[in-house]
Amino acid sequence: MGNMTSYLPQNEGFLQYWLLLLSIVSIGNSVQSYLTTSYTRRVYSAPETTVTPLHSRTFGTYTALASIIRLYAAYNIIDPMLYQLALWTYVVALGHFYSEWLVFGTARWGKGLAGPVVISVGSLAWMVSQWGMYVR
């Protein structure tokens, strides 16, 4: 088990592990977005909304890109540029989910939307509050 810890981020604190966990989970979400539209339809669940395979793959592509940025930030959390990029991935995600819900009406509040919104808000708040601990 001692050898496994050498693959984990090596800085102090828990935020880096959170970013790593979300990166891994998000890569899985990206893969499923390429294989099926069923999970993407849970987020974009308004009755008049059609989720096509193209929409699902586009969502998966953004999620993969955000996951890669967050993964790099997890391992280089003291780098201000990577920290800011990771922070911005949550801002963009949150802006997207809120606009689809409140502006465009393609998403409805429910467990499909609540999960990504809670993760985005919580991660964004955590990153903003911990800036001084990590960025040097």
Side-chain angles (χ1 to χ4, degrees):
M1 186 67 162
N3 289 339
M4 293 299 290
T5 59
S6 66
Y7 294 105
L8 296 174
Q10 299 298 313
N11 290 295
E12 293 181 24
F14 294 105
L15 180 58
Q16 61 192 340
Y17 301 121
W18 176 249
L19 293 174
L20 176 63
L21 174 66
L22 289 184
S23 295
I24 293 167
V25 170
S26 295
I27 290 295
N29 182 265
S30 296
V31 170
Q32 68 80 25
S33 292
Y34 276 84
L35 300 176
T36 180
T37 60
S38 65
Y39 294 104
T40 307
R41 275 191 224 141
R42 291 180 187 175
V43 175
Y44 306 100
S45 60
E48 63 281 350
T49 302
T50 302
V51 175
T52 67
L54 175 61
H55 295 127
S56 190
R57 291 189 307 270
T58 302
F59 185 70
T61 300
Y62 165 77
T63 302
L65 178 59
S67 298
I68 292 166
I69 292 169
R70 293 169 188 162
L71 182 67
Y72 272 83
Y75 282 94
N76 300 282
I77 200 158
I78 62 171
D79 182 321
M81 190 63 66
L82 285 171
Y83 198 98
Q84 288 175 48
L85 284 172
L87 196 140
W88 276 106
T89 66
Y90 291 112
V91 171
V92 170
L94 193 57
H96 169 73
F97 291 125
Y98 274 127
S99 68
E100 293 300 329
W101 174 34
L102 298 172
V103 177
F104 302 112
T106 57
R108 287 194 172 192
W109 188 255
K111 69 179 182 178
L113 182 62
V117 168
V118 168
I119 294 293
S120 295
V121 168
S123 298
L124 186 58
W126 194 1
M127 290 189 76
V128 168
S129 72
Q130 295 300 302
W131 172 271
M133 178 178 170
Y134 292 105
V135 177
R136 299 177 183 125

